Amino acid sequence: MKTVARRIEVSGIVQGVGFRPFVYRLAYRLGLSGEVANTSHGVVIHTEGRVGAIDMFLQDLTAHPPPLAQITDVRVFPEPVRFLKTFEIISSRKESHPSALISPDISVCQDCLNELFDPKNFRYRYPFINCTNCGPRYTIIEDIPYDRPKTSMKRFPMCARCRSEYEDPFDRRFHAEPNACPECGPKVFLYDQKGKRIETNDPISSAGDLLREGNILAIKGLGGFHLSVDAERREAVRRLRERKRREEKPFAVMSKDPDAVHRYAVLEETELRLLSSPQRPIMLLKKRLPNPLSEDISPRNSCFGVMLPYTPVHYLLFENGFLALVMTSGNLSEEPIVIDNEEAFARLNGVADYFLTHNRDIYLRSDDSIARYSAASIRMVRRSRGFIPRPIFLKRTVPQILACGAELKNTLCLTKEEKAFLSQHIGDLENPASYDFLKMTAEHMKRILNIHPEIIACDLHPDYLSTRYAEEASIGMKRLGVQHHHAHIASCMAENRMDGPVIGLAFDGTGYGSDGAVWGGEVLLVENDNFSRIGHLDYVPMPGGEMSVKEPWRMGVSYLYNAMGDEFMNHPIPLVKGMDTNKGMMLVEMMRKKINSPMTSSLGRLFDGVASILGLRDRVRYEGQAAMELEMAIESSGEEFYDLEWVFDEMYRIPTPPLIQRIV
């Protein structure tokens, strides 16, 4: 039968996920000859054989790819037959315009876990065990194509045994770039608070003993350091809060398996699926009451943030029998997570009692992702480790754009062709360290994704550090200011591949409005490139400006005065009873005379004001705390609601005085 040849170009996440050995084994099974190689665009295959066999090859290629692969495009071209005798995997090809997709960092797989705890396996208890189906990716890559010399594993030459696995297309570790073993790979070390190495035959077991004694450990993981304590030891949790300067914001915890989680949290089947997924995010789960964990892990909160282990080090630590370990980001509050050993000794000195580190470099920090189950769906709260840099696929091809994000919970976005690449969580841009992290992330993503932006987009707010970055970095690019809430709604449209027009509800704490006011309770009519404001919550003053965000009692006074005038002082409600009368009247004077009292339509500020009126929270220790505690105070069985009416003059407005009066 006639032999034909085809060139097959495969795009998507097809590097570092066992795709080439999968192609090799598939061709071998179907009796095809040819070759496969990584390129800067993805994978290219030349295959020769009977037409029917090639058709079956193409069908299986897309129907049964490796678990971590994500094929986005397959293109097939006729080629001259070269009469090749075998099928081979050949060296990677670097091309002038790389566009290959990079796999996220993934939890250690079950096959590797089985080997980790098998005393007969030569990787028994080796804390860097991985294969093509699991392990680090994004945080260790320096450039593409994704090959070992382009990663932080380049300083660890493989021994003969690992090299044999790496070069065997039938082995699970074929071209697993982080492949290593105790003989040739990275190692774990234990240090005291002064950075002096502690001599021990088993640093992880010794670290477990120290945690059991109530010590605080800094533990180097995939995307940075965690600060960890035994979650059942209340004094240890309190000391961690004091040293980290994190007064009340909840800590995340990690448990060995779902059975352990069930002992302190309510875990539904839908939540379990994502909790146990290769991405291993933190899931927000309802507390089981009573429970054995320290009350200081998430005070005045009905949920725990829970994750399962995702590195071999984590699993080895849990051999010490912990129910749960606090695993919070290794930093001081509001600073970027620490990723470098020397940086950890310097920045976490005085926080951690001991340091469990390793000598494999992390090139890019990446915090844990966070998700919750709400309104019958899983909702991403923070999209980072495990999901980045997997793109969101857009409806159409767009120019190459760098979007710089806002100030709080910042992430970057880079676009290329029909793909939008979101960065990992960068955090609140409130200090130079966070600003440097933003700049480093932008440069790293541009390099590994080979994106050269033509347009740089930023928030309209002139004082955001992300806006300042756009101004500094915009040489050679068109700079475009985008209204904050238009961006919120347009991003939802892009993610759902919609063009509009849509009616969008944008509810948040702060956003610079096109009229100069602080928006945040908006109804917008939106198309991709423009919007009109058709409704909003009524404006009220923010006495003290930004201080109103940190001190919700100020917003409580503002809403009360707006609803009742001076009469609000006569109502025996928690805010009024606990307030210094002189301070309250001072705020009233500020609002009357319009002194440092910008106007806001923010729903977040309304939540803050109501939380204060009810006596829940007058000052916050972290962003969004008052609104979260208001949510926690609502009885889940309650179905009552407050009637509201629209008022229309130039646009629709929702007056808040009737609402506040009914709440009082």
Side-chain angles (χ1 to χ4, degrees):
M1 190 172 288
K2 184 180 178 183
T3 296
V4 298
R6 298 288 185 268
R7 174 185 173 88
I8 305 165
E9 297 176 357
V10 187
S11 302
I13 298 177
V14 289
Q15 294 186 14
V17 293
F19 197 81
R20 287 178 300 166
F22 157 71
V23 169
Y24 177 93
R25 292 190 293 269
L26 182 58
Y28 183 86
R29 177 167 61 84
L30 294 171
L32 298 172
S33 59
E35 59 192 26
V36 58
N38 278 347
T39 74
S40 297
H41 292 270
V43 164
V44 63
I45 304 163
H46 173 89
T47 185
E48 301 181 354
R50 295 179 293 105
V51 172
I54 291 179
D55 288 343
M56 290 178 64
F57 177 85
L58 287 167
Q59 181 178 334
D60 286 357
L61 188 74
T62 55
H64 307 290
L68 300 183
Q70 182 182 0
I71 296 173
T72 59
D73 188 36
V74 177
R75 296 193 292 173
V76 183
F77 306 93
E79 278 212 329
V81 177
R82 289 152 52 186
F83 299 103
L84 300 174
K85 301 297 183 186
T86 60
F87 197 95
E88 295 184 2
I89 298 171
I90 61 175
S91 299
S92 299
R93 303 171 181 172
K94 180 139 186 177
E95 300 173 11
S96 57
H97 300 289
S99 60
L101 302 183
I102 298 161
S103 173
D105 302 288
I106 294 297
S107 167
V108 59
C109 69
Q110 190 60 51
D111 288 334
C112 285
L113 280 178
N114 293 340
E115 294 172 351
L116 180 68
F117 292 109
D118 179 2
K120 297 178 182 178
N121 191 281
F122 78 105
R123 289 191 178 88
Y124 175 58
R125 297 184 65 83
Y126 180 57
F128 300 95
I129 191 169
N130 70 90
C131 68
T132 51
N133 297 325
C134 67
R137 297 290 191 274
Y138 177 62
T139 52
I140 65 169
I141 190 170
E142 190 174 31
D143 204 349
I144 53 174
Y146 173 63
D147 289 327
R148 196 177 180 102
K150 304 286 188 182
T151 75
S152 60
M153 290 298 294
K154 62 188 175 186
R155 58 180 287 204
F156 301 103
M158 278 182 279
C159 64
R161 195 168 187 176
C162 288
R163 173 63 65 181
S164 174
E165 295 172 324
Y166 183 85
E167 293 177 349
D168 180 0
F170 289 94
D171 194 284
R172 197 174 88 248
R173 292 186 170 90
F174 177 78
H175 279 238
E177 305 305 343
N179 189 33
C181 75
E183 180 183 335
C184 63
K187 292 178 171 52
V188 173
F189 306 97
L190 186 63
Y191 293 86
D192 66 16
Q193 194 175 41
K194 296 180 180 178
K196 181 181 177 182
R197 187 169 157 188
I198 297 172
E199 295 301 326
T200 170
N201 292 328
D202 191 340
I204 298 175
S205 180
S206 298
D209 293 338
L210 292 168
L211 286 166
R212 179 66 69 201
E213 293 167 7
N215 291 290
I216 300 171
L217 261 72
I219 301 171
K220 189 176 183 181
L222 270 184
F225 278 79
H226 282 119
L227 289 166
S228 183
V229 294
D230 184 342
E232 294 184 88
R233 297 182 68 100
R234 187 168 188 178
E235 287 304 314
V237 176
R238 283 182 172 176
R239 268 190 299 112
L240 177 56
R241 283 208 175 278
E242 291 168 5
R243 293 185 186 180
K244 188 176 160 69
R245 303 174 204 163
R246 186 164 171 166
E247 296 175 82
E248 297 183 52
K249 191 174 183 180
F251 286 144
V253 297
M254 177 184 286
S255 284
K256 179 181 179 180
D257 53 39
D259 288 341
V261 175
H262 275 294
R263 290 178 57 188
Y264 59 84
V266 178
L267 181 58
E268 304 292 346
E269 187 62 36
T270 309
E271 295 164 330
L272 174 61
R273 283 199 292 272
L274 188 56
L275 185 75
S276 307
S277 70
Q279 290 77 24
R280 287 292 203 275
I282 296 169
M283 292 294 299
L284 301 183
L285 304 176
K286 294 287 283 186
K287 290 178 180 176
R288 192 177 294 279
L289 298 175
N291 68 75
L293 302 192
S294 166
E295 295 175 3
D296 295 289
I297 289 172
S298 59
R300 300 182 70 172
N301 196 304
S302 63
C303 294
F304 286 125
V306 183
M307 58 182 156
L308 297 181
Y310 54 86
T311 72
V313 170
H314 296 150
Y315 279 97
L316 292 168
L317 276 174
F318 278 101
E319 289 297 282
N320 286 264
F322 299 105
L323 172 63
L325 291 171
V326 169
M327 286 284 182
T328 187
S329 53
N331 57 4
L332 294 178
S333 286
E334 313 310 330
E335 291 184 357
I337 189 172
V338 173
I339 60 173
D340 178 75
N341 294 343
E342 294 304 318
E343 180 190 19
F345 295 142
R347 284 178 54 194
L348 301 180
N349 182 32
V351 181
D353 298 312
Y354 296 91
F355 296 81
L356 184 65
T357 73
H358 58 73
N359 58 351
R360 183 181 68 201
D361 290 336
I362 299 171
Y363 282 153
L364 204 64
R365 54 178 54 86
S366 186
D367 284 275
D368 298 310
S369 297
I370 305 175
R372 71 179 299 185
Y373 185 74
S374 177
S377 293
I378 295 292
R379 314 282 178 174
M380 294 302 301
V381 177
R382 184 168 80 192
R383 188 174 182 268
S384 200
R385 176 195 50 77
F387 297 91
I388 301 303
R390 188 184 294 269
I392 290 172
F393 292 93
L394 307 175
K395 189 174 182 179
R396 62 178 62 84
T397 297
V398 297
Q400 295 194 5
I401 303 167
L402 167 58
C404 300
E407 182 177 53
L408 300 180
K409 304 176 181 64
N410 180 274
T411 56
L412 299 171
C413 182
L414 284 152
T415 60
K416 184 176 187 178
E417 298 163 347
E418 80 294 356
K419 297 177 282 290
F421 298 91
L422 293 167
S423 76
Q424 70 274 41
H425 170 75
I426 292 172
D428 297 347
L429 297 179
E430 296 181 333
N431 54 59
S434 298
Y435 185 53
D436 289 343
F437 179 25
L438 177 142
K439 292 192 289 185
M440 181 184 71
T441 301
E443 292 307 311
H444 187 268
M445 290 184 70
K446 284 192 286 185
R447 182 172 69 253
I448 66 171
L449 298 171
N450 193 42
I451 294 177
H452 307 282
E454 308 160 32
I455 300 168
I456 189 164
C458 61
D459 198 279
L460 290 177
H461 200 299
D463 297 330
Y464 283 177
L465 287 178
S466 54
T467 304
R468 183 190 303 176
Y469 170 71
E471 292 169 352
E472 294 174 356
S474 61
I475 297 173
M477 290 183 269
K478 177 183 178 182
R479 182 157 58 89
L480 182 66
V482 182
Q483 199 281 321
H484 188 96
H485 301 96
H486 180 201
H488 275 313
I489 297 167
S491 68
C492 291
M493 294 168 63
E495 189 171 353
N496 290 283
R497 304 167 71 86
M498 298 171 65
D499 289 323
V502 302
I503 297 172
L505 311 182
F507 296 151
D508 63 3
T510 301
Y512 192 80
S514 52
D515 61 355
V518 179
W519 290 8
E522 311 308 312
V523 184
L524 307 181
L525 183 63
V526 178
E527 299 191 59
N528 287 329
D529 56 352
N530 62 74
F531 76 95
S532 57
R533 191 186 194 202
I534 56 176
H536 61 89
L537 281 177
D538 223 352
Y539 282 129
V540 296
M542 292 174 62
E546 283 297 308
M547 285 302 296
S548 292
V549 180
K550 298 177 180 177
E551 299 183 358
W553 73 274
R554 293 171 179 263
M555 291 310 305
V557 170
S558 178
Y559 281 104
L560 288 170
Y561 178 70
N562 186 56
M564 303 175 179
D566 294 336
E567 285 296 311
F568 83 88
M569 294 294 289
N570 298 325
H571 287 271
I573 56 176
L575 171 59
V576 173
K577 287 194 292 184
M579 184 176 61
D580 182 318
T581 302
N582 291 330
K583 286 186 176 180
M585 294 315 295
M586 181 185 70
L587 290 195
V588 169
E589 282 301 302
M590 288 175 64
M591 291 186 286
R592 280 177 179 158
K593 296 177 179 179
K594 300 181 180 179
I595 299 171
N596 191 21
S597 298
M599 303 301 286
T600 184
S601 59
S602 165
L603 183 61
R605 298 292 77 81
L606 176 60
F607 288 159
D608 287 353
V610 172
S612 178
I613 289 169
L614 299 180
L616 293 174
R617 175 64 57 178
D618 287 339
R619 287 170 177 79
V620 297
R621 306 302 183 190
Y622 58 90
E623 195 267 331
Q625 183 180 14
M628 287 174 61
E629 292 185 0
L630 179 61
E631 178 185 3
M632 301 303 166
I634 296 170
E635 294 185 10
S636 59
S637 60
E639 296 181 358
E640 297 177 83
F641 57 88
Y642 295 102
D643 287 320
L644 289 173
E645 294 182 0
W646 295 101
V647 174
F648 184 82
D649 34 46
E650 294 180 355
M651 65 180 71
Y652 290 98
R653 290 183 297 109
I654 305 174
T656 55
L659 172 67
I660 298 299
Q661 288 163 4
R662 289 168 189 149
I663 288 172
V664 168

